[in-house]
Structure formats: structure tokens, C-alpha cells
Amino acid sequence: MTTVPAPTRPLEQVYAAHPEKKVTLYFLVTGLVLLLIGVAIGPLQALNYAGIDVYRYLPFLKSYYQGLSLHGVLNALVFTTYFISGLLLYLPCRDLKVRPNLVVAWSAYWIMTAGVLMAAWATLSNNATLLYTFYPPLMGSPLFYIGAALLVVGSLIIGVQVTLIWTIWKREHPGEVTPLVAFMSVATWMMWLLASLGLVVEVAFLLIPWSLGWTAGVDPLLARTLFWYTGHPIVYFWVLPAYISWYALLPSTAGGKIASETMARLSFVLFLLLSVPVGLHHQYADTGIAAPWKIIQMLLTFLVVIPSLLTAFSVGASLDIAARARGGRGWIGWTRFLPWKNPVFTAQVLAMISFIPGGAGGVVNASAALDSAVHNTAWIPGHFHITVGTATTLTFFGISFWLLPHLTRKPLASVKAALWASWLWFWGMIIFAVGMHWEGLIGIPRRTYLATATGLGDLIARAHIPMALTGISGVVLMFASIFYFYVIFATLLGKARVPESAEMPIPFSESLEQAEARAAGISPAGMKIAGAVRLLDRLWIFAALAALLVALMYGPVLIDLGLNAHPLPGLRLW
Amino acid sequence: MLDHHTIEKYELGWLALSAVLVTLLFVGVISSMLTQTLPGIFTRQASYLDPAKLAGTPFAAPGLKAAPDGSLDAYVVARAFQFQPNVLRVPAGQAVTLHIVAVDVIHGLMLGQGNVNLELMPGHIATLKTRFNHPGTYTSQCHEYCGAGHQTMTFKLIVEAPE
Ligand code: HEM
Ligand SMILES: [Cu+2]
Ligand SMILES: [Cu+2]
């Protein structure tokens, strides 16, 4: 008797129906591999903030600051940019049922990758130990700046591509309203196109020519202001993709509905309008910038809190709907009816929970008077590890638990390990945040090779408990990372693929309005569309208004700095 | 289950509440700033000093200086990887005008008292008048990454009780 071997499908067939899956997968996996390197250094830093020095045993890192440069750049800049470029290319295209031009998408991928390799070379050879903010007059290798520019250019190519795809879609579908996920993605990209300008100008016109020796100096304050022009809205570029998932994908994972589409759209339009002209809140402590501008941007920063509070409401409501649909009841008891055994769900809900203290801490930082108590202390990394480090990163983990199986048709290697990764990451980061915020309140500065600092004895004497917590969190997070990357690589390296019919679907969710219409027997085409939704769909107009607001809020500051520039030569002090 | 109109009504209420909270927050922070919780935030003038030319300025010999009329001025220079002076003694309860400048790269200084937290941009002099009321020794350190020796760049403020 002979057995006929099951027909093996050539790999490419997995992408046959949707070849954009492959480029998406490349973006995601490259981002995750680079995250692995960045995250591997994290626990060492946590130990440093516990007063334990492991750096002297590490031959491959020249200094704490070289490690910190890698950690900040790879995690916050590189991983996020790759992941978001893949995700916010794929989702809106699927939502609009349009295939993106693959040559463009692949060029973006390779430009980014070339840039990352250049910057990595410079950093690994200790020629760009500048930390991820690369403030002049510290001057690194030109390769670092060129690489950073290419990374941004890659993301801008995808941003322009998606925006154009949507613009053409609108023209071809007159009278139709953009579906929610595409709408949010385009709003996010428009925000990023506007927000990245500062960094692009800083790097292309100031830092690259200067590091190549073509110009003699750079004004540090002008460069820093351009950096933070992008440096704050970049956090919305990190968090809005997570919001897209919470608003529009998680309800389906949880078994519920989007609570209100109109409000979801409103909050994204508010983000587009208000996200950018707020960067001066990173410069409250700077000498050389007048107080009134700082205060106006403080007000704008507070206004961006509003769409985040809307998100909290909507997302909470949709989880409540989901749980009650599954039989949940009571004030708190309903939460037990949510699908906690599903890591896609659990990772994202834990990410949201971490964002409650994360957002509250952000309000503290944004309040100039309170900021003076925490600026540049360990409080700040405490804050952003429960925002970008958890709200965004853990959400992306949750997304990867369905998206990688969806793209590859390989089942998730281990649901258990994925759940462990999620819970350990969440608790690790909560402990980390307690430790670091507390150290900061005692006055311990951030970005410090603390384990060898000699002059901080009195502060350290008061910080034993928070330092111990920080050290413990580093160990917990190391285990979380091991579980996570095990799941990811075991999934990717797995051999079995499910047939096309069993492909993990994209969890696009239905809104309550749509569900009600369906129940009433109204076809989707026949649904009455609220006037507000039509108005909000004119994203180009809101983008133009946003640009105008930016010009008003930043124009005078930048012109003044440009006219009074005091260029300084570069220094290498590491 | 609630229908979407009801949820939207609640959410609009929440939106209004958020707007009110944000307004209150802004008013609160501004009032705090107006009552001088942040010394010098409104009066810091934009004065620039070429960091290569300290000679002939008070920063050439930094430290605490008493003017003939008894007013106190403290001059501090930040350079990699040292503050000059790195111990500053001031009398408690007396007005002191701090003048701090970085001369190479960006440095940062937070004093353990009086809400002084500065990002020192090279050449831009931070000038602020304040008063330290609580005697004691306050340790701090440069808080903006400035290079390999950043963690050694400590600063002590000693507020001395009047005899
Ligand atoms: C295993 C998990 C992680 C641990 C234990 C960890 C630990 C730390 C510590 C202790 C610091 C402070 C270093 C200092 O100020 O001297 C730090 C800085 C930082 N971390 Fe993480 N981290 C982790 C993951 C992440 C993730 C996932 C992200 C972002 C996606 C991230 C982004 C950053 C950034 C941007 C900085 C600031 C670097 C700088 O100040 O130049 N980290 N991390
Ligand atoms: Cu910010
Ligand atoms: Cu320093």
C-alpha cells in the first residue's frame, strides 16, 4: 500500500490571494527581531537602576550609554516604525479592498532597512552613543543620521501611499463613507506626515551636513526644538495604531460591538488636529524659549487628553457590551465574562489598563508646574514604559498573536506561553513603573550609569525599596520577553499551515449602529449615515487645519530661533 | 443592551465632563505658576553668552558673590563633566539670583529644593531669583546626558541656617 503524500503547497501560494501579506510580514518580523535586541538590554538597565552593575562583564558593549542608545533607538524608533508601517499599510488596504502597489511598499521596506543597518553600524561601533534623542552639539557618525533619515523616509512612503490609496478610493466611491479602520489609519498617517517634518528638517538640513563637515555648526536649541516638534506627536504615532485596534478590532475579539462609530471618528479627528503643536511641553525646563509659548502648548497638550478620555469611554463600553452579550452582569462581575483565555484579548486589555496610570502620569508631566519636580528624573522612563512600553508594545504583542497566524496561516505556537508573556509583561512593567516613578520622586536622574555614580549617596540611601522593585521588574520582564519571543519564533518556524478556509480572519468589528440596522432588516447600503460622520470624513480639510495650527504655534518660535541661531561645533564626549 | 443613541448621549456627557476637567486643570496649573511656584519662569531673560568667551564675565570666577548692597548672585558653569563650583553654599531665607550656563554640550540641573529644574542649553544663561528656606544639604547631578562621565557630574546645594 502506498500513501500519497499530501500535496505540499509552495510557500508563495500562501500569499497568492493577497501578495501584500508578504511585505506586511517582513515589516512586522523585522521590527520584532530588532525589538528583541533592544529589549535584551532592558533588564541590564533595570539592574543598573537597582544599583547593580553588569556592564563591566559585557565585552560587546563599550558603555552603559552605548547600550542605552541601542535600547532607545531600537525599541522606540525602529520597532515601532516597522510594526506600524506594516500594520497601517495592511489594515486600511484590506478594509478598502484595494491592493497596494507592491513595488512602492517593498521600496519603503528596503529603504528603511538600509537606514537601520547604517545606523546600527554606527551605534554598534560606538560612533553614535548619543541616546535616541541625539541632541547636538554631541556629534555622531554621519551614518547614524543618514540611517535615521532613511528610517523616517520609509515610513513616509507608506504614509503617502495609504493616503493616496484612500484619496483615490474616495473619488471612486462618491457618497460613501470611509470604513472605520481605513479612516483611522489615514488620519494617523496624515498626522504623522505633518508631525515628522521637524525631525526631517533637523536631520536633513542641520545634522547630516554638520556631521559630514559641510557646515561648521548647529544651533543646539533649534535642533532640540525641531526634535521635540516630532518627538511628542511621535507618541501619538505609537499609540493611535493601538487605539485603532482597541476601537475597531478588539470588540470582535471580545465578542461585542463598537460602541459608537461617530465618537470613534471624532476622537481621531481631534488627534489629527491637536497632536502636533505640543512638543514644547518637553522643553518647559529649557533656557532660551519664552514662557508664553510653553504655556500655550501646555493648553494644547491638555486638549489632547480629551480624545484619549473618549477612547477610554468607548473602549470600556464596547467591552461591557461584549461581556453582557456573553451573559455577564453586575458592576464589576461582567469582566469575568470576557475571553481571558485568548491572548489576543488579554494582551490588549492589560495594555489598556497600563495606560490608565500611564495617561495620568502624562498629565502630570504636561503640567509645567509639576513637571519641574520630575523632569529628567527616573520618573520619566517609569512613565513611558507603561505608555509606549506597554500600552503600545503589549497591544502590538496582542495583534501579533492573530496577525502572524493570519499572514502565514501557521497556527500560534502556544496559547499558554502567549498568555504568560502578556501577564508577565504587564506585571513586570507595573512593578517597573512603581520603582522608577518612586526613584524619580526621590530625585534620582534618568539616563545615568547609576550603579557607578559616586556622588549620589544620600539619594540612594532613601531609594532602597524602589531600587529593589526596579531590579525585580527587570527579571520579570526578561522572562516575559523569553515567553513572547519563543511564541513568535516557534510560530514563524512552525511547519504546519492551515488551509485557506481555516485562515485566522482579520477581526474587523461591527458597530452597534450596524448591528441595530441589521436587526431591523435594513441593508448596510440603506443605513442612514449621520451628518457628523459625513463631515468627519473630510480628512484633508482637518489635515489642512492641523497644518495651520502648527504654523501658528510653531512658526514664530522656530523663526525666532533660526534668526538668532548660535551654531556650535560638534563634540564627541563618550 | 443599550442602543447606540443612548451610548452616544452618555459619551457626549463624558466629553463635556472631560472638557471641564481639562479646563480646571489648566486654570490650576496657571494659577500655581502665577504664584511663583516656578521661580523665574516668566522673568528668565534670553541672554546668550558665547561659551568660548567666559573671560571677563562673572562666569570666569564662578561662585557666590555678594554685591555691596548685600544682594546675592550665584554663578555656576556646567561643563563636561563638572559643575563649577560643584558645592554651592547659600544662606537660608535670603534671596539669591542664580546664573547658570553650560559651555560645551547640553547639561541639566535640578536642585533638591525650590522647584528649580533646568535644561542648560549651551550659552543660554538661566537667570532666576529664588530663596531657599530649608537648611540642609541637597545632592543632585547633571540630568542631561552629556557623555561618558555624565554620572560623575554631581552638584551639592548647601543651605546654611543663619547663626
Ligand atoms: C524588557 C523590557 C524593558 C526593560 C527592563 C526596560 C528598562 C529600561 C530602563 C531601566 C530604562 C532607563 C534607562 C536610563 O534612563 O538610564 C529604559 C529606557 C528606555 N526604554 Fe526601556 N525597557 C524595556 C522595554 C522597552 C520597550 C518595549 C520600549 C519601547 C517600545 C522601551 C523604550 C525605552 C526608551 C525610549 C528609553 C529611554 C532611553 C533614553 O533615555 O535615552 N523600553 N528602559
Ligand atoms: Cu510629550
Ligand atoms: Cu550630564
Side-chain angles (χ1 to χ4, degrees):
Chain A
M1 201 184 83
T2 55
T3 48
V4 184
T8 49
R9 290 159 155 275
L11 184 74
E12 285 308 314
Q13 250 175 289
V14 178
Y15 307 115
H18 290 285
E20 68 272 27
K21 280 184 173 178
K22 188 168 173 185
V23 69
T24 306
L25 186 68
Y26 270 64
F27 271 117
L28 300 184
V29 174
T30 312
L32 289 173
V33 168
L34 295 165
L35 176 72
L36 169 60
I37 305 171
V39 153
I41 303 170
L44 313 177
Q45 291 163 188
L47 289 176
N48 171 57
Y49 271 82
I52 301 167
D53 178 23
V54 285
Y55 286 81
R56 66 178 89 179
Y57 310 111
L58 296 176
F60 46 87
L61 284 180
K62 294 260 179 348
S63 71
Y64 178 76
Y65 302 109
Q66 188 192 11
L68 189 57
S69 300
L70 284 166
H71 179 84
V73 170
L74 288 175
N75 294 349
L77 304 180
V78 176
F79 154 66
T80 50
T81 306
Y82 271 97
F83 201 96
I84 294 166
S85 296
L87 187 70
L88 292 199
L89 170 67
Y90 189 69
L91 289 180
C93 288
R94 291 300 301 267
D95 201 23
L96 294 174
K97 305 191 171 57
V98 174
R99 176 174 302 170
N101 181 321
L102 293 177
V103 177
V104 174
W106 278 110
S107 331
Y109 173 82
W110 286 112
I111 288 174
M112 255 187 197
T113 306
V116 168
L117 290 175
M118 290 165 87
W121 176 260
T123 316
L124 290 170
S125 57
N126 202 27
N127 287 318
T129 300
L130 304 164
L131 307 191
Y132 81 105
T133 44
F134 47 84
Y135 297 136
L138 287 175
M139 182 164 80
S141 152
L143 278 182
F144 177 81
Y145 304 114
I146 297 171
L150 293 180
L151 174 71
V152 177
V153 167
S155 75
L156 295 181
I157 292 175
I158 301 289
V160 169
Q161 186 179 17
V162 172
T163 310
L164 288 180
I165 286 175
W166 169 76
T167 309
I168 294 167
W169 183 93
K170 279 294 275 187
R171 202 166 304 147
E172 290 172 353
H173 297 77
E176 278 182 50
V177 168
T178 315
L180 186 60
V181 169
F183 174 87
M184 294 171 150
S185 307
V186 173
T188 306
W189 279 123
M190 285 179 160
M191 188 281 290
W192 177 239
L193 295 181
L194 183 60
S196 60
L197 271 176
L199 193 64
V200 169
V201 171
E202 183 201 4
V203 173
F205 295 108
L206 302 181
L207 301 182
I208 292 178
W210 174 67
S211 65
L212 287 168
W214 299 346
T215 53
V218 159
D219 181 279
L221 186 56
L222 176 61
R224 191 173 141 90
T225 306
L226 288 168
F227 181 87
W228 286 116
Y229 168 104
T230 300
H232 189 81
I234 202 176
V235 315
Y236 301 119
F237 181 57
W238 297 334
V239 93
L240 291 183
Y243 281 9
I244 294 177
S245 179
W246 300 351
Y247 262 120
L249 305 179
L250 192 65
S252 151
T253 308
K257 309 283 170 210
I258 300 169
S260 161
E261 249 201 80
T262 316
M263 297 307 273
R265 288 170 192 266
L266 174 65
S267 79
F268 269 68
V269 165
L270 289 176
F271 277 119
L272 172 58
L273 281 175
L274 300 171
S275 286
V276 183
V278 295
L280 284 187
H281 72 222
H282 288 254
Q283 296 179 269
Y284 291 145
D286 285 23
T287 48
I289 292 183
W293 292 110
K294 297 179 182 171
I295 291 172
I296 294 178
Q297 294 208 5
M298 173 168 80
L299 175 64
L300 285 162
T301 310
F302 287 163
L303 293 181
V304 200
V305 175
I306 294 177
S308 274
L309 288 172
L310 286 183
T311 306
F313 182 99
S314 295
V315 170
S318 81
L319 292 181
D320 181 287
I321 293 171
R324 287 181 205 280
R326 292 157 152 263
R329 102 206 68 251
W331 278 90
I332 300 290
W334 59 273
T335 53
R336 279 185 297 116
F337 289 78
L338 292 166
W340 293 103
K341 294 267 177 290
N342 179 355
V344 177
F345 173 84
T346 301
Q348 296 193 59
V349 171
L350 295 176
M352 283 174 196
I353 295 173
S354 79
F355 205 49
I356 298 172
V363 173
V364 171
N365 304 343
S367 308
L370 295 173
D371 183 56
S372 75
V374 298
H375 175 73
N376 271 359
T377 68
W379 165 290
I380 302 297
H383 160 72
F384 60 67
H385 284 78
I386 47 174
T387 49
V388 64
T390 310
T392 296
T393 303
L394 192 50
T395 298
F396 288 0
F397 287 2
I399 291 172
S400 69
F401 294 148
W402 70 261
L403 185 52
L404 294 182
H406 165 82
L407 295 172
T408 59
R409 265 196 247 136
K410 294 177 177 181
L412 193 68
S414 164
V415 168
K416 259 222 177 92
L419 283 169
W420 272 101
S422 310
W423 282 104
L424 286 175
W425 190 275
F426 172 75
W427 282 114
M429 282 298 183
I430 294 293
I431 302 170
F432 180 85
V434 172
M436 293 290 277
H437 279 87
W438 189 348
E439 285 188 45
L441 289 178
I442 292 172
I444 293 186
R446 69 182 283 202
R447 303 185 141 179
T448 296
Y449 190 10
L450 193 67
T452 63
T454 44
L456 289 177
D458 355 346
L459 296 182
I460 289 173
R462 286 188 279 140
H464 288 313
I465 300 172
M467 285 173 71
L469 289 174
T470 307
I472 292 167
S473 76
V475 177
V476 176
L477 285 163
M478 188 185 71
F479 282 107
S481 316
I482 293 172
F483 276 108
Y484 178 68
F485 286 105
Y486 161 74
V487 173
I488 292 309
F489 292 114
T491 302
L492 290 172
L493 299 174
K495 290 274 177 296
R497 293 184 199 255
V498 298
E500 202 163 347
S501 55
E503 179 182 289
M504 169 82 82
I506 303 177
F508 288 127
S509 311
E510 193 183 38
S511 72
L512 205 50
E513 281 132 291
Q514 286 161 342
E516 285 161 9
R518 195 163 39 78
I522 305 170
S523 76
M527 259 176 74
K528 199 163 91 20
I529 297 165
V533 170
R534 283 202 189 285
L535 179 70
L536 293 170
D537 215 35
R538 321 186 87 150
L539 284 172
W540 275 115
I541 295 184
F542 294 109
L545 287 174
L548 181 68
L549 188 62
V550 169
L552 289 175
M553 291 300 125
Y554 259 114
V557 178
L558 289 172
I559 290 171
D560 181 47
L561 288 174
L563 293 179
N564 296 303
H566 302 286
L568 292 180
L571 289 169
R572 179 182 168 134
L573 299 179
W574 66 89
Chain B
M1 192 156 69
L2 295 172
D3 69 300
H4 83 273
H5 289 295
T6 322
I7 292 195
E8 265 163 29
K9 228 185 292 156
Y10 285 147
E11 190 158 2
L12 283 173
W14 173 252
L15 174 64
L17 179 67
S18 309
V20 171
L21 287 176
V22 162
T23 313
L24 287 177
L25 176 66
F26 185 66
V27 171
V29 175
I30 288 290
S31 345
S32 146
M33 289 167 78
L34 289 174
T35 58
Q36 292 294 313
T37 35
L38 287 184
I41 180 95
F42 295 110
T43 50
R44 270 178 219 166
Q45 318 101 321
S47 47
Y48 187 83
L49 170 73
D50 184 342
K53 300 188 182 124
L54 293 193
T57 72
F59 291 102
L64 188 71
K65 308 198 169 162
D69 65 356
S71 62
L72 294 173
D73 284 277
Y75 293 86
V76 179
V77 175
R79 62 159 50 103
F81 301 105
Q82 205 177 33
F83 286 101
Q84 295 164 325
N86 60 9
V87 178
L88 180 67
R89 292 171 188 275
V90 295
Q94 267 192 53
V96 185
T97 307
L98 302 173
H99 311 259
I100 312 177
V101 72
V103 294
D104 39 27
V105 294
I106 309 179
H107 298 277
L109 184 61
M110 176 173 176
L111 299 179
Q113 198 190 124
N115 278 336
V116 179
N117 193 335
L118 299 165
E119 194 83 39
L120 302 166
M121 303 304 300
H124 289 272
I125 304 170
T127 307
L128 49 110
K129 193 167 177 175
T130 187
R131 193 186 293 272
F132 299 101
N133 291 324
H134 307 285
T137 300
Y138 299 89
T139 305
S140 62
Q141 190 211 288
C142 172
H143 70 46
E144 190 54 85
Y145 170 66
C146 53
H150 168 59
Q151 71 280 357
T152 60
M153 193 167 160
T154 44
F155 186 81
K156 259 193 204 333
L157 170 75
I158 302 180
V159 182
E160 293 176 322
E163 329 282 296

Short mmCIF file of all heavy atoms in Angstrom, two decimals, chain A residues 238-263:
data_model
loop_
_atom_site.label_atom_id
_atom_site.label_comp_id
_atom_site.label_asym_id
_atom_site.label_seq_id
_atom_site.Cartn_x
_atom_site.Cartn_y
_atom_site.Cartn_z
N TRP A 238 2.69 56.27 17.88
CA TRP A 238 2.82 54.95 18.52
C TRP A 238 1.49 54.46 19.08
O TRP A 238 1.20 53.27 19.09
CB TRP A 238 3.83 55.00 19.67
CG TRP A 238 5.23 55.35 19.27
CD1 TRP A 238 5.81 55.13 18.05
CD2 TRP A 238 6.23 55.97 20.08
NE1 TRP A 238 7.10 55.58 18.06
CE2 TRP A 238 7.39 56.10 19.29
CE3 TRP A 238 6.26 56.42 21.40
CZ2 TRP A 238 8.57 56.66 19.77
CZ3 TRP A 238 7.43 56.99 21.88
CH2 TRP A 238 8.57 57.10 21.07
N VAL A 239 0.73 55.40 19.60
CA VAL A 239 -0.43 54.95 20.38
C VAL A 239 -1.69 54.87 19.52
O VAL A 239 -2.57 54.06 19.79
CB VAL A 239 -0.60 55.87 21.62
CG1 VAL A 239 -1.54 57.02 21.37
CG2 VAL A 239 -1.05 55.07 22.83
N LEU A 240 -1.79 55.66 18.44
CA LEU A 240 -3.02 55.60 17.64
C LEU A 240 -3.23 54.23 16.98
O LEU A 240 -4.37 53.76 16.94
CB LEU A 240 -3.05 56.73 16.60
CG LEU A 240 -3.22 58.13 17.21
CD1 LEU A 240 -3.32 59.18 16.10
CD2 LEU A 240 -4.44 58.22 18.11
N PRO A 241 -2.17 53.57 16.48
CA PRO A 241 -2.42 52.22 15.96
C PRO A 241 -2.99 51.28 17.04
O PRO A 241 -3.84 50.43 16.74
CB PRO A 241 -1.04 51.76 15.50
CG PRO A 241 -0.31 53.02 15.19
CD PRO A 241 -0.79 54.01 16.21
N ALA A 242 -2.54 51.48 18.27
CA ALA A 242 -3.12 50.67 19.35
C ALA A 242 -4.59 51.05 19.54
O ALA A 242 -5.45 50.17 19.72
CB ALA A 242 -2.34 50.87 20.65
N TYR A 243 -4.89 52.34 19.48
CA TYR A 243 -6.30 52.76 19.60
C TYR A 243 -7.14 52.16 18.48
O TYR A 243 -8.30 51.77 18.70
CB TYR A 243 -6.42 54.29 19.52
CG TYR A 243 -6.07 55.04 20.79
CD1 TYR A 243 -5.49 54.42 21.88
CD2 TYR A 243 -6.35 56.41 20.89
CE1 TYR A 243 -5.16 55.14 23.02
CE2 TYR A 243 -6.03 57.13 22.03
CZ TYR A 243 -5.44 56.49 23.09
OH TYR A 243 -5.14 57.22 24.21
N ILE A 244 -6.57 52.10 17.27
CA ILE A 244 -7.33 51.52 16.15
C ILE A 244 -7.71 50.09 16.51
O ILE A 244 -8.85 49.67 16.34
CB ILE A 244 -6.50 51.55 14.85
CG1 ILE A 244 -6.26 52.99 14.41
CG2 ILE A 244 -7.18 50.75 13.75
CD1 ILE A 244 -5.38 53.13 13.17
N SER A 245 -6.74 49.39 17.06
CA SER A 245 -7.03 48.00 17.41
C SER A 245 -8.06 47.92 18.53
O SER A 245 -8.98 47.10 18.48
CB SER A 245 -5.73 47.30 17.81
OG SER A 245 -5.98 45.97 18.17
N TRP A 246 -7.94 48.80 19.53
CA TRP A 246 -8.89 48.75 20.66
C TRP A 246 -10.31 49.11 20.20
O TRP A 246 -11.27 48.49 20.61
CB TRP A 246 -8.48 49.73 21.76
CG TRP A 246 -7.13 49.46 22.35
CD1 TRP A 246 -6.34 48.38 22.14
CD2 TRP A 246 -6.42 50.31 23.26
NE1 TRP A 246 -5.18 48.50 22.85
CE2 TRP A 246 -5.20 49.68 23.55
CE3 TRP A 246 -6.68 51.55 23.85
CZ2 TRP A 246 -4.25 50.22 24.41
CZ3 TRP A 246 -5.74 52.09 24.70
CH2 TRP A 246 -4.54 51.44 24.98
N TYR A 247 -10.39 50.14 19.36
CA TYR A 247 -11.70 50.59 18.91
C TYR A 247 -12.34 49.61 17.96
O TYR A 247 -13.52 49.30 18.08
CB TYR A 247 -11.54 51.90 18.13
CG TYR A 247 -11.80 53.18 18.87
CD1 TYR A 247 -10.81 54.13 19.00
CD2 TYR A 247 -13.05 53.46 19.40
CE1 TYR A 247 -11.04 55.33 19.65
CE2 TYR A 247 -13.30 54.66 20.05
CZ TYR A 247 -12.29 55.60 20.17
OH TYR A 247 -12.53 56.77 20.81
N ALA A 248 -11.57 49.18 16.96
CA ALA A 248 -12.19 48.59 15.78
C ALA A 248 -11.91 47.10 15.60
O ALA A 248 -12.55 46.47 14.78
CB ALA A 248 -11.76 49.35 14.53
N LEU A 249 -10.95 46.55 16.32
CA LEU A 249 -10.66 45.12 16.15
C LEU A 249 -10.99 44.34 17.41
O LEU A 249 -11.54 43.24 17.36
CB LEU A 249 -9.19 44.91 15.78
CG LEU A 249 -8.68 45.66 14.55
CD1 LEU A 249 -7.20 45.38 14.32
CD2 LEU A 249 -9.46 45.27 13.31
N LEU A 250 -10.64 44.93 18.56
CA LEU A 250 -10.82 44.20 19.81
C LEU A 250 -12.29 43.85 20.08
O LEU A 250 -12.57 42.76 20.61
CB LEU A 250 -10.25 45.03 20.96
CG LEU A 250 -10.11 44.27 22.27
CD1 LEU A 250 -9.11 43.14 22.13
CD2 LEU A 250 -9.70 45.20 23.38
N PRO A 251 -13.28 44.72 19.74
CA PRO A 251 -14.67 44.34 20.02
C PRO A 251 -15.01 42.99 19.41
O PRO A 251 -15.68 42.17 20.07
CB PRO A 251 -15.48 45.47 19.38
CG PRO A 251 -14.58 46.65 19.46
CD PRO A 251 -13.19 46.10 19.23
N SER A 252 -14.56 42.74 18.20
CA SER A 252 -14.88 41.46 17.59
C SER A 252 -14.18 40.32 18.34
O SER A 252 -14.77 39.27 18.59
CB SER A 252 -14.49 41.50 16.12
OG SER A 252 -14.16 40.25 15.65
N THR A 253 -12.91 40.54 18.74
CA THR A 253 -12.20 39.51 19.51
C THR A 253 -12.93 39.22 20.82
O THR A 253 -12.99 38.09 21.28
CB THR A 253 -10.77 40.00 19.82
OG1 THR A 253 -10.16 40.41 18.62
CG2 THR A 253 -9.94 38.93 20.49
N ALA A 254 -13.49 40.28 21.41
CA ALA A 254 -14.16 40.11 22.70
C ALA A 254 -15.58 39.60 22.55
O ALA A 254 -16.22 39.24 23.53
CB ALA A 254 -14.17 41.45 23.45
N GLY A 255 -16.09 39.61 21.33
CA GLY A 255 -17.46 39.16 21.10
C GLY A 255 -18.48 40.27 21.27
O GLY A 255 -19.62 40.01 21.63
N GLY A 256 -18.07 41.52 21.01
CA GLY A 256 -19.01 42.63 21.17
C GLY A 256 -19.08 43.51 19.94
O GLY A 256 -18.78 43.07 18.83
N LYS A 257 -19.48 44.75 20.17
CA LYS A 257 -19.65 45.70 19.06
C LYS A 257 -18.88 46.98 19.37
O LYS A 257 -18.60 47.29 20.53
CB LYS A 257 -21.14 46.10 18.93
CG LYS A 257 -22.10 44.94 18.86
CD LYS A 257 -22.08 44.29 17.49
CE LYS A 257 -22.87 42.99 17.52
NZ LYS A 257 -22.36 42.02 16.57
N ILE A 258 -18.60 47.74 18.32
CA ILE A 258 -18.03 49.07 18.52
C ILE A 258 -19.14 49.95 19.11
O ILE A 258 -20.22 50.05 18.53
CB ILE A 258 -17.56 49.66 17.18
CG1 ILE A 258 -16.49 48.75 16.57
CG2 ILE A 258 -17.04 51.07 17.36
CD1 ILE A 258 -16.16 49.09 15.13
N ALA A 259 -18.87 50.57 20.26
CA ALA A 259 -19.96 51.25 20.96
C ALA A 259 -20.50 52.42 20.15
O ALA A 259 -21.71 52.59 20.04
CB ALA A 259 -19.48 51.74 22.33
N SER A 260 -19.61 53.24 19.61
CA SER A 260 -20.11 54.34 18.80
C SER A 260 -19.09 54.71 17.75
O SER A 260 -18.00 55.17 18.06
CB SER A 260 -20.41 55.55 19.67
OG SER A 260 -20.46 56.70 18.85
N GLU A 261 -19.49 54.52 16.51
CA GLU A 261 -18.58 54.84 15.42
C GLU A 261 -18.34 56.32 15.30
O GLU A 261 -17.24 56.77 15.02
CB GLU A 261 -19.18 54.33 14.11
CG GLU A 261 -18.42 53.19 13.55
CD GLU A 261 -18.68 53.02 12.06
OE1 GLU A 261 -18.07 53.75 11.25
OE2 GLU A 261 -19.47 52.14 11.74
N THR A 262 -19.41 57.10 15.52
CA THR A 262 -19.27 58.54 15.36
C THR A 262 -18.22 59.08 16.33
O THR A 262 -17.36 59.87 15.96
CB THR A 262 -20.61 59.22 15.63
OG1 THR A 262 -21.62 58.47 14.95
CG2 THR A 262 -20.62 60.64 15.15
N MET A 263 -18.31 58.64 17.59
CA MET A 263 -17.37 59.17 18.57
C MET A 263 -15.96 58.68 18.26
O MET A 263 -14.98 59.40 18.49
CB MET A 263 -17.79 58.74 19.98
CG MET A 263 -19.13 59.28 20.41
SD MET A 263 -19.30 61.06 20.24
CE MET A 263 -18.66 61.62 21.77
#
